[in-house]
Amino acid sequence: DFFAQFEKRMLSTGKIDREDLKTCLLDWGIQTSFHYLDTIIDMCDVSRVGLIDLNEFLEVLRGPLSDRREGILQDVYQALDTQKERVVSMEEVKKNFSGEAHPLVTIGGMTHADALDHMLKYFEVKGKLPPKLTFEKFRNYYADLSATIDDDYYFEDILRGNW
């Protein structure tokens, strides 16, 4: 998988250089001209040191969240943050995530437990689940999902149906 390749090639800084990114994309079967790829990479390399952060790269590819979707994400996260600490324990995440509205659960391609495992895997850092979930990590997970969903109401149904 692309992200596993990306993670393998990441430096100790949590970033990848442009040549390794090009290799990951080509290995993953993304055939594009180097000129186009360089344009995307230049958009991601905001510090201009030749290193690219995975989240910055994905944000460029997926584009910004609409204000409506951003608001929905904040509402759901704030409801999870019952202690008002601006972080949510992973135990709370596990307890409150139902998975019933996950697109792959609704079509029978995955179970509720599989959906939870899939999401928790996204939150792992170097193979370990952190004890707390920040809004940024929560937002990034759903921003990735958002990029695959055209309809704001469907996105809201998925989000609220899972929490």
Side-chain angles (χ1 to χ4, degrees):
D1 147 276
F2 172 77
F3 300 105
Q5 287 180 30
F6 191 101
E7 193 170 270
K8 254 198 258 183
R9 294 175 181 271
M10 280 193 318
L11 306 169
S12 61
T13 61
K15 297 183 180 202
I16 191 170
D17 66 33
R18 56 176 57 232
E19 293 309 312
D20 279 341
L21 178 60
K22 286 179 184 179
T23 301
C24 285
L25 291 170
L26 291 172
D27 288 350
W28 205 45
I30 296 176
Q31 300 293 323
T32 187
S33 73
F34 283 112
H35 173 71
Y36 180 69
L37 193 52
D38 283 338
T39 301
I40 293 172
I41 291 169
D42 286 342
M43 292 170 68
C44 301
D45 184 13
V46 291
S47 60
R48 302 289 180 240
V49 295
L51 298 175
I52 301 142
D53 178 85
L54 175 61
N55 288 330
E56 291 170 357
F57 175 69
L58 291 175
E59 196 165 313
V60 167
L61 292 180
R62 70 179 171 238
L65 282 169
S66 69
D67 290 343
R68 177 177 168 76
R69 291 183 188 202
E70 189 73 50
I72 294 164
L73 285 169
Q74 288 176 8
D75 288 350
V76 170
Y77 187 82
Q78 286 173 358
L80 288 172
D81 183 14
T82 57
Q83 303 299 312
K84 305 301 178 216
E85 296 175 337
R86 303 182 71 160
V87 292
V88 177
S89 76
M90 281 301 171
E91 292 310 312
E92 285 294 314
V93 169
K94 292 174 186 176
K95 183 174 98 180
N96 287 293
F97 182 78
S98 75
E100 70 184 46
H102 190 288
L104 291 176
V105 171
T106 61
I107 63 168
M110 141 184 319
T111 67
H112 296 227
D114 292 338
L116 176 62
D117 288 344
H118 178 267
M119 182 182 62
L120 294 177
K121 185 105 178 117
Y122 180 90
F123 298 141
E124 287 180 0
V125 177
K126 296 184 180 181
K128 293 185 179 179
L129 196 60
K132 304 274 184 177
L133 175 64
T134 64
F135 176 71
E136 178 185 13
K137 213 45 170 156
F138 181 82
R139 182 193 178 282
N140 287 342
Y141 176 80
Y142 281 104
D144 288 348
L145 178 64
S146 174
T148 67
I149 298 170
D150 292 331
D151 185 86
D152 282 348
Y153 295 105
Y154 181 49
F155 177 77
E156 182 173 5
D157 287 347
I158 289 170
L159 198 63
R160 295 194 191 280
N162 283 325
W163 299 100

